[in-house]
Amino acid sequence: MKLKNYKFILQEINQSTFLYLQSLALLLITYIDWTLMPYVTKLEGTYLPVYMISFFMLIGALDGIVQPLFKHIRIYKIYLFSIVLDLIQIASYFLYLVSIELFTYVILAIFTIQGITFEVARVHTVDFMKDESIELREYLMIRSFIISLAIILGGVSAMLFDYLDVPLLYILSYLTLLALFGIYLQYKLYKIFKKRIFLSDIELEQDKKELFEKFR
């Protein structure tokens, strides 16, 4: 891949408000998950039996199977669900002070549902790419780039926190602040998608009405 293509990626992101917001939200949420992931994995291996670890892995692998169940769901509802899920994740951080085992179970459940939600959202986002100047192939490339970048940044952050012996409670506080900003971005995306679908429904109704009048 030529280096100038990275410049193209940044240009495409900056030219579209929708793509900019989605890329930033995806970067933040993925970064948060992958910063926390090594700590949860450590707790998982300490407190959870193998069959429960396998159970979460099996549930996470169902994203392709459950996709048809959400074929006709409105994408703004997916973002609304994602916001609620993020709020539950933030609230679950307090469980670390109550029960580490319960904290691990809840976080793993949220990670699993979040992964499925991301896949459902990715498929439904494709429907809106016709309204953007960017091609579908380029959009998928940008999405993959953002996810890889977020995972790398999350992994490096976790290594740095571990090297500096930063308490997990401080890390959770830091991730909470980032998550609140991520929720704000997802709320803006929720409003954008809802407005687009609402206007699309109005245009469809007008087209149907005009067609009906012509037949009359």
Side-chain angles (χ1 to χ4, degrees), residues 87-152:
L87 289 172
I88 294 174
Q89 180 171 333
I90 292 174
S92 70
Y93 292 162
F94 294 100
L95 292 174
Y96 178 72
L97 300 174
V98 179
S99 170
I100 296 180
E101 185 175 351
L102 182 59
F103 167 78
T104 308
Y105 273 113
V106 173
I107 288 295
L108 280 175
I110 292 172
F111 280 178
T112 302
I113 298 172
Q114 213 169 43
I116 296 175
T117 304
F118 278 168
E119 286 304 304
V120 173
R122 179 180 63 84
V123 172
H124 285 74
T125 302
V126 171
D127 296 335
F128 295 86
M129 297 318 299
K130 62 180 181 295
D131 300 326
E132 304 292 328
S133 59
I134 187 172
E135 295 181 2
L136 177 59
R137 180 182 62 178
E138 295 167 347
Y139 165 73
L140 294 176
M141 179 180 66
I142 289 175
R143 186 181 176 88
S144 296
F145 172 79
I146 293 296
I147 292 175
S148 295
L149 179 62
I151 292 174
I152 291 170

Side-chain angles (χ1 to χ4, degrees), residues 22-34:
Q22 191 185 59
S23 298
L24 191 54
L26 184 63
L27 179 68
L28 271 176
I29 300 303
T30 307
Y31 168 78
I32 291 169
D33 288 352
W34 283 84

Side-chain angles (χ1 to χ4, degrees), residues 38-102:
Y39 293 94
V40 175
T41 302
K42 182 179 180 180
L43 295 174
E44 181 182 15
T46 304
Y47 293 96
L48 270 59
V50 173
Y51 73 89
M52 283 306 302
I53 299 174
S54 299
F55 173 76
F56 284 114
M57 292 173 63
L58 290 173
I59 296 298
L62 293 177
D63 59 307
I65 296 176
V66 302
Q67 280 280 7
L69 299 176
F70 302 98
K71 181 179 180 181
H72 299 294
I73 193 172
R74 298 296 180 93
I75 190 169
Y76 66 86
K77 293 183 179 179
I78 299 175
Y79 273 97
L80 183 60
F81 176 75
S82 182
I83 290 172
V84 173
L85 199 61
D86 288 339
L87 289 172
I88 294 174
Q89 180 171 333
I90 292 174
S92 70
Y93 292 162
F94 294 100
L95 292 174
Y96 178 72
L97 300 174
V98 179
S99 170
I100 296 180
E101 185 175 351
L102 182 59

